[in-house]
DNA sequence: TCAAACGTCGTC
DNA sequence: GACGACGTTTGA
């Protein structure tokens, strides 16, 4: 069992900046053809067009799906993969639809190979060019969050007179994994 | 303003 | 290395 990061009272508040509603099962979108857009983007990126937005920090710039690979051509989410099941918190495209290009690392995408094998940025799909100030801050927060999580867990368990294992069973029960 | 999903980190 | 979480970017 991974991390019980599941928010007890999940994002039911739409007041936030942007919280995806619970529309995992009801796509309802049939008149959408983003592929054309992506292809145009490709052209733009290739330098054929110059009406794109000004190049921001390469650090924050994102790659886009190629729109031509098999996963890209897939229209619907499988609804069964981890990303589909966790879209609310995971915020990732369906695994079956993940563009082959985006699966590669940025460096690879940009056709670069100058990198040290000891650098953390050496990670795969989710570890291309990163580790900057923003990331450092994020790490800090992550640390805090984790400590808090642990603390809360301890408090809760203490209050209930539970062991770690008992807590796990309890959670499983709540989730309907047992019974 | 919102939905979608990329990038990145920590944990398992 | 897979997975989960989340900030952030991006296009509509
Ligand atoms: Zn899926
Ligand atoms: Zn693709």
């Amino acid at each position: 069992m991974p991390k019980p990061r599941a928010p007890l009272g999940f994002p039911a508040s739409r007041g936030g900046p942007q919280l995806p509603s619970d529309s995992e099962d009801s796509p309802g979108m049939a008149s959408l053809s983003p592929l054309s857009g992506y292809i145009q983007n490709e052209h733009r990126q290739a330098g054929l067009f110059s009406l794109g937005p000004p190049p921001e920090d390469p650090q924050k710039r994102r790659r886009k799906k190629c729109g031509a690979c098999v996963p890209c051509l897939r229209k619907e989410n499988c609804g069964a993969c981890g990303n589909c099941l966790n879209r609310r918190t995971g915020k990732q495209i369906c695994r079956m639809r993940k563009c082959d290009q985006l699966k590669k690392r940025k460096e690879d995408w940009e056709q670069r190979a100058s990198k040290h094998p000891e650098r953390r940025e050496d990670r795969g799909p989710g570890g291309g060019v990163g580790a900057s100030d923003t990331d450092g801050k994020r790490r800090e927060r992550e640390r805090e969050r984790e400590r808090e999580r642990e603390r809360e867990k301890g408090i809760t368990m203490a209050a209930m007179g539970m062991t770690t294992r008992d807590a796990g069973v309890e959670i499983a029960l709540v989730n309907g994994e047992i019974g």
Side-chain angles (χ1 to χ4, degrees), chain A residues 65-73 97-102:
Chain A
K65 50 159 73 175
C66 72
C69 68
V70 174
C72 277
L73 292 173
R97 296 178 52 203
K98 182 74 176 182
C99 176
D100 286 335
Q101 299 284 323
L102 297 178

Side-chain angles (χ1 to χ4, degrees), chain A residues 77-81 84 94-96:
Chain A
N77 299 329
C78 75
C81 72
C84 281
C94 169
R95 288 230 206 305
M96 308 300 287

Side-chain angles (χ1 to χ4, degrees), chain A residues 47-63:
Chain A
L48 297 177
F49 296 12
S50 46
L51 35 86
E56 299 169 18
D57 295 302
Q59 188 76 90
K60 296 183 179 178
R61 196 165 37 201
R62 287 187 185 181
R63 295 176 294 163

